[in-house]
Each structure stands twice: as structure tokens, then as C-alpha cells.
Amino acid sequence: MDKMESTRDQLIQLLAENGDAYISGQALSDSIGISRNAIWKQMKELEKDGYQIEAKPRVGYRITEFPDKLSSNTLKWGLDTAWLGKTILHHPTVDSTQAIGHQAAREGGPHGTIIVADEQTGGRGRMNRSWHSAKGKGMWLSIILRPKILPNHAAQLTLLTATVLADVLDKYDSVKPFIKWPNDILINEKKAAGILTEMQAEQDQIQYILIGIGLNVNQTRDDLHEDIQSKATSLRIESGNELSIKNLIQELLIAFEASFDKYMEQGFLPIKKKWESYGFKIGEEIAIKTFKDYWRAPFHGISEDGALCTETEEGKPISLYSAEIEWFNDTNRE
Ligand code: BT5
């Protein structure tokens, strides 16, 4: 980072920390170590970048509006969380936010650290599938968590994440989200979001969990990669409106923190109920694909620990932890 940029970052941070209150030119000049005239020049530069700044004579400055582009500062401004997103690492372009997240977690990145990018060149899904993450079109984000739960409960956090995403999307007009087991978000039977959970753990202790969330926001149908055009969608396609990715991220983080805190207090049961309220094809017949079999059976919901409750071909109840589900006239086959 060059000197100009770091001065500007310090300035934004000081103003952002001050919220709605004014901070005097003198105080800014003392903290950053540049002249009051230089502060004034920097303010003019910020305005060119889309910041709206109010300057009150003899009182000081405050920011009244942050630009819509993503940065650690714009995301933190107005983010009303206690622990989630206190550290936000933003990059314009990355291979995968998961890769950056693993590195940050290995280097001690705290619980609640967020990694977010405008674009991923090597975005990943489960089982090494690729995840298309075009520049400025979606939410491409990873969360580092260090929860005090048993490693075999980690999958519950993936289901929790799906319910948080569904809750956030449900608030948007003409968007009716469903969760396809275990954790794809569908709108009108097309995939709008996916979740990838990775974990570093010993037998009975989690070092960290990295939850990766990919949400299609502002793609038009033509913007979607041809591999996924028939089976994917975006919020813009569904709602007809372009949406602010920055606002969506903030809404997601606020809802995630509340849901996580509740989970730590009350356990999985409230999440299970919420998940089932969004569950796709619950009570209907689905096709189940495991690594060796493929059969049809009714989908009864999820168990207390997040497994898929269904039946064997012979009609005996079973719980499955890893499988893919499909439905008839399903266009989503891999
Ligand atoms: C997922 O995998 O759905 C998990 C996706 C997680 C992506 C996030 S973005 C931030 C973080 N950093 C990463 O590198 N990853 C995470 P899975 O259930 O395996 O689904 C993958 C399949 O979804 C692909 O094989 C495609 O068929 C389809 N797909 C790929 N890109 C898509 C997109 N943008 N929208 C909808 N479907 C897509």
C-alpha cells in the first residue's frame, strides 16, 4: 500500500469509528500526522470515490454515506455485530476465499474473521467442483469460526448457514427461497447459492471451521456461465432488481451472528425446525444418490443432528449424512 492509500485508509477508519459524531480537522491531523490542509484535500478525494462527507465549520467532519463498493471499511460501517466481521479481509481478486481463509486461520485469524472478494478465479464447490464467481456479480465470502462444539456437530453449522441465507433472501420481494438438502439455496427450483464447509480438527476438538458462501446476486441470465445457465439463477433474475452486495453481506453477517449465538445457547432444535420450514420436497418422493446406489424414497425431513431422514428401497427408515438428492424432471443432474 502506498503512503497516500494508507493515509486515506486511516482517515476513513477514524471517521467510520466515530459514526454519526463529528471529528475535528485538528484531531484528524494530530492522529494521522498530516496538515489540516492535507486532510481537507483527502476529503475531496474521498468524495470522488463516492463517500459523502459533511463538513461543519468549527465542528469537524463526518461521513454520511459510504460508496457501494466492497472494502473492509465500507463493510464495517454500520455493521451492528458484536463479534462477527470485526476483522474483514477484502481482496478484489482471489483464487478462492477458502484458500485465503485457511491461511488466515492457520496464522491465528480470530473467530468471526471474514474473507470477501469481488471475484474468484478458482472458486470451489464440494468435491472439487468449480464455482463460477464473476467480478462484482455475487457474494463470494468465507467465515472463520472457532466454536466449542464437537467435530461431529460441524455439519449443523452448514445447515445453520443455509437457514440464515434463506431468512435473508426471504425478505426480498418475489424471492421465495428453498433449501435443497443439505445446503443449496433454490429459487424457483434453480440454484442461487451454495455453501462449502471445511474444517481443521483433532478427534474431539475443532481448531477452526471455514464456511464458504457463494450467492448469485446481479447476474443476468446471459451473464451465467453456459455450464449452469439452465440450472442456476440470481437474485436479479428472480426479483428484477439489481441489489447492493454490500448490504446483502451486512444483512447476512447480522443474521448469522444472531443465529450462531442462539445455536450455542439452545442447540440445534430451533435450526432444525427452521431448516424444515424451508426444506425442498419434504414429504415428497425424491431420488437419492449415494456413491454406490440410486433409488427413490420419501423425504421425511432432517434428524436432530442434521441427517437426511428417508427410507431404504425396502421401506426401512434410515438417516443419511452424505448423499445427493434429485427429483423427477430434475434438470440438476451433474
Ligand atoms: C457448492 O458446491 O454449492 C458450494 C459453493 C461454495 C462457493 C463459495 S464462494 C466463497 C467460497 N470460496 C470458494 O472457493 N467457495 C466458497 P456444490 O454443491 O458442490 O455445487 C457445485 C456445483 O454448482 C457446480 O458443479 C455447478 O454445477 C454449480 N455451480 C457452479 N457455479 C455456480 C453458480 N455461480 N451458481 C449456481 N450454481 C453453480
Side-chain angles (χ1 to χ4, degrees):
M1 201 183 281
D2 67 24
K3 189 151 176 286
M4 276 289 274
E5 269 179 67
S6 75
T7 306
R8 193 167 311 164
D9 259 18
Q10 281 179 50
L11 189 58
I12 298 170
Q13 210 174 332
L14 286 168
L15 288 160
E17 280 166 4
N18 236 35
D20 283 341
Y22 294 90
I23 178 164
S24 73
Q26 191 61 51
L28 291 169
S29 136
D30 290 345
S31 310
I32 304 176
I34 56 173
S35 70
R36 289 182 61 171
N37 192 32
I39 296 279
W40 184 81
K41 281 192 186 145
Q42 289 281 358
M43 294 291 181
K44 293 289 138 207
E45 289 304 308
L46 288 179
E47 283 177 348
K48 283 188 205 152
D49 275 355
Y51 289 83
Q52 285 182 27
I53 292 161
E54 199 183 331
K56 206 171 184 183
R58 288 180 298 280
V59 180
Y61 300 95
R62 65 174 186 175
I63 298 181
T64 54
E65 185 95 34
F66 270 66
D68 203 44
K69 65 178 186 192
L70 299 186
S71 74
S72 169
N73 284 317
T74 58
L75 284 166
K76 277 191 197 159
W77 197 71
L79 178 65
D80 194 10
T81 52
W83 55 266
L84 187 58
K86 292 294 145 191
T87 306
I88 298 184
L89 309 173
H90 168 260
H91 300 271
T93 300
V94 294
D95 170 38
S96 154
T97 56
Q98 291 291 101
I100 309 270
H102 281 297
Q103 195 187 337
R106 277 196 301 269
E107 289 167 2
H111 178 67
T113 299
I114 304 298
I115 301 95
V116 56
D118 298 330
E119 170 185 44
Q120 297 185 113
T121 52
R124 292 189 277 117
R126 295 173 301 153
M127 292 172 274
N128 269 331
R129 295 176 190 143
S130 64
W131 182 260
H132 300 292
S133 328
K135 193 177 189 76
K137 297 290 180 188
M139 178 198 290
W140 323 128
L141 160 148
S142 301
I143 305 176
I144 298 176
L145 297 173
R146 299 185 184 276
K148 291 191 177 55
I149 58 172
L150 290 170
N152 62 4
H153 286 167
Q156 295 179 347
L157 289 177
T158 318
L159 298 163
L160 177 150
T161 306
T163 63
V164 170
L165 261 172
D167 271 350
V168 169
L169 301 188
D170 206 23
K171 298 206 178 83
Y172 285 83
D173 280 348
S174 57
V175 171
K176 179 83 198 92
F178 284 92
I179 308 173
K180 179 190 169 206
W181 192 85
N183 47 48
D184 287 352
I185 303 289
L186 306 182
I187 306 171
N188 279 326
E189 307 207 358
K190 297 202 161 109
K191 182 159 169 173
I195 300 164
L196 171 68
T197 303
E198 295 175 307
M199 172 167 71
Q200 189 67 41
E202 280 104 52
Q203 203 128 59
D204 55 359
Q205 200 191 345
I206 292 174
Q207 280 178 2
Y208 67 85
I209 293 182
L210 196 56
I211 298 192
I213 301 171
L215 168 68
N216 298 329
V217 182
N218 283 329
Q219 293 97 333
T220 60
R221 188 144 291 294
D222 286 345
D223 289 335
L224 291 173
H225 192 277
E226 59 179 27
D227 293 353
I228 55 168
Q229 251 181 23
S230 64
K231 53 187 181 180
T233 192
S234 75
L235 294 180
R236 179 174 173 182
I237 294 169
E238 298 300 326
S239 72
N241 299 317
E242 275 201 62
L243 298 173
S244 156
I245 296 171
K246 183 189 80 176
N247 291 352
L248 275 162
I249 293 177
Q250 291 187 328
E251 286 163 29
L252 176 95
L253 297 181
I254 290 166
F256 190 100
E257 182 179 280
S259 180
F260 180 91
D261 288 346
K262 186 170 170 191
Y263 167 74
M264 293 306 284
E265 266 171 36
Q266 300 180 14
F268 186 62
L269 193 61
I271 307 290
K272 167 186 149 69
K273 287 189 181 144
K274 178 151 268 185
W275 193 100
E276 287 182 334
S277 75
Y278 288 115
F280 189 63
K281 299 280 171 192
I282 292 186
E284 293 180 41
E285 190 169 75
I286 51 169
I288 299 161
K289 192 164 73 174
T290 64
F291 66 98
K292 57 180 171 43
D293 292 317
Y294 185 86
W295 74 100
R296 290 178 177 207
F299 180 13
H300 295 307
I302 57 172
S303 67
E304 296 289 295
D305 54 357
L308 171 82
C309 300
T310 180
E311 295 173 15
T312 62
E313 262 190 297
E314 294 74 38
K316 271 202 353 230
I318 45 162
S319 303
L320 295 173
Y321 290 88
S322 112
E324 300 271 338
I325 69 166
E326 293 173 352
W327 53 97
F328 316 108
N329 69 35
D330 178 5
T331 49
N332 287 317
R333 293 198 177 184
E334 291 291 325

